[in-house]
Amino acid sequence: MHSNSPVTKTDLSRFLQKQPNIFLAKYLPFSVYRRYLSMIGFYYYGVNGEERKELLASLRFVLGKRFGKLKFGYILLKTYLGIFDHYYEKMINAHKSLTGMKKHVNKQISFTGKNRLNQIIEKNKGCLLVTGHFGAIEYIPLYLASNNYRPTIILRFKTEKLKAALAAKSKSVDLELIDADSPNALFKAFNAINEGRLLITLCDEIHHWRPSKKENARLFGRLVPKDRTLDILYRRLKVPTCFGIIKREKNGYDLSIHPLADGEEKISLCETAWDQLEQTVYRYPEQWYQWPKFHSEFTRYSMNRECYGN
């Protein structure tokens, strides 16, 4: 296809969130829409050679020495499908009816670690839940809200239509959305904790990390400046902190939540949370959504080590 094609002038996220796909998300059956998004997703990568190269470079960068060619090829295929599943979940979560989505997530999700989270929530002091762009991350807020956990999530919106759709839906359940790019995001996060809410944030948006000038951390075995954001948040909030992941399984999803710290322990939340996520990515690499840009983002971020002389 010619390089001036509209498909090659937009990224995957905006391509899959075009208006016709929003319309179809509302009305197609779940399984049909999932297959449809996979089909047009493969089309997108088929005509975007640079995007294919970037995804392949990211997987080789992290997994190249861990698997043989046959296994690596299988993981690459599954990773494509995992990326398309991410957008399928994102689109139906935003654009299907609230009633339909609540029924869907409550039917499909099993909750491992529920009792541990309940024990923390019952103290009504607030809780910090760290997660990553893994598995069915899009379902976590709605599932927790529909089960009376009063979640607040810090997130970024790729399109204004997505932001509007999620904002409208959140008003009908006890779910608070905080735009990470808004100037008062930190104030809203503190306020959520003060109200005893469950604050959800992500640990793997490397292009938004605030690098330390003195401390390093390891990402997939490579030394980089440590992100200060989570450590600052943990020290200031002083609340129990958990790590949560929602994994796609053959017949549904498993949401697992594990305690990390009680709010008083002196830990690096950046390192502790990343270690949890990294172990999960090594086990289920096809379910991590950050692969498409990871290699280039990691390369840019790691240059900070040289700049700071660490």
Side-chain angles (χ1 to χ4, degrees), residues 215 217 226-227 230-231 234 266-273:
E215 297 180 281
K226 187 168 70 171
D227 172 41
L230 280 181
D231 288 349
Y234 175 74
K266 293 184 178 180
I267 66 164
S268 168
L269 185 56
C270 168
E271 294 183 70
T272 305

Side-chain angles (χ1 to χ4, degrees), residues 55-79:
L55 176 59
L56 184 60
S58 296
L59 284 166
R60 283 177 173 164
F61 183 62
V62 176
L63 305 175
K65 296 181 179 180
R66 298 176 70 92
F67 303 104
K69 289 184 177 180
L70 187 62
K71 178 67 173 178
F72 184 84
Y74 175 75
I75 290 173
L76 176 61
L77 174 61
K78 294 288 286 184
T79 299

Side-chain angles (χ1 to χ4, degrees), residues 49-65 72 76 79-80 222 290-299:
E50 291 303 314
E51 298 279 346
R52 294 197 308 274
K53 290 178 183 178
E54 176 68 17
L55 176 59
L56 184 60
S58 296
L59 284 166
R60 283 177 173 164
F61 183 62
V62 176
L63 305 175
K65 296 181 179 180
F72 184 84
L76 176 61
T79 299
Y80 277 117
R222 296 167 173 86
Q290 296 296 71
W291 290 122
K293 301 292 183 182
F294 178 75
H295 182 252
S296 59
E297 289 176 356
F298 179 93
T299 301

Side-chain angles (χ1 to χ4, degrees), residues 275-290:
D275 285 345
Q276 291 286 323
L277 178 63
E278 186 174 289
Q279 293 174 32
T280 307
V281 171
Y282 276 138
R283 291 183 65 190
Y284 311 101
E286 72 282 358
Q287 295 201 37
W288 194 42
Y289 172 64
Q290 296 296 71

Side-chain angles (χ1 to χ4, degrees), residues 130-240:
V130 184
T131 186
H133 291 79
F134 183 93
I137 172 64
E138 304 291 335
Y139 290 169
I140 291 180
L142 179 59
Y143 176 79
L144 292 175
S146 66
N147 286 277
N148 303 312
Y149 285 98
R150 303 177 60 234
T152 295
I153 183 167
I154 304 172
L155 74 169
R156 289 180 171 85
F157 303 94
K158 194 72 173 183
T159 70
E160 287 301 317
K161 288 181 180 179
L162 177 65
K163 182 177 181 178
L166 291 176
K169 189 168 289 185
S170 68
K171 292 178 181 178
S172 300
V173 291
D174 195 358
L175 169 59
E176 182 183 14
L177 309 178
I178 299 178
D179 188 339
D181 295 320
S182 67
N184 58 350
L186 191 59
F187 171 79
K188 289 183 177 180
F190 278 95
N191 191 54
I193 289 295
N194 289 335
E195 293 177 357
R197 299 182 69 89
L198 176 61
L199 179 64
I200 306 170
T201 189
L202 294 106
C203 68
D204 57 353
E205 293 183 327
I206 297 173
H207 52 300
H208 292 296
W209 278 14
R210 298 168 61 188
S212 170
K213 295 182 179 181
K214 297 180 180 180
E215 297 180 281
N216 292 326
R218 289 194 176 274
L219 270 64
F220 297 117
R222 296 167 173 86
L223 205 63
V224 297
K226 187 168 70 171
D227 172 41
R228 296 183 294 127
T229 310
L230 280 181
D231 288 349
I232 292 172
L233 197 62
Y234 175 74
R235 287 197 301 267
R236 292 186 179 178
L237 292 177
K238 300 184 186 303
V239 293

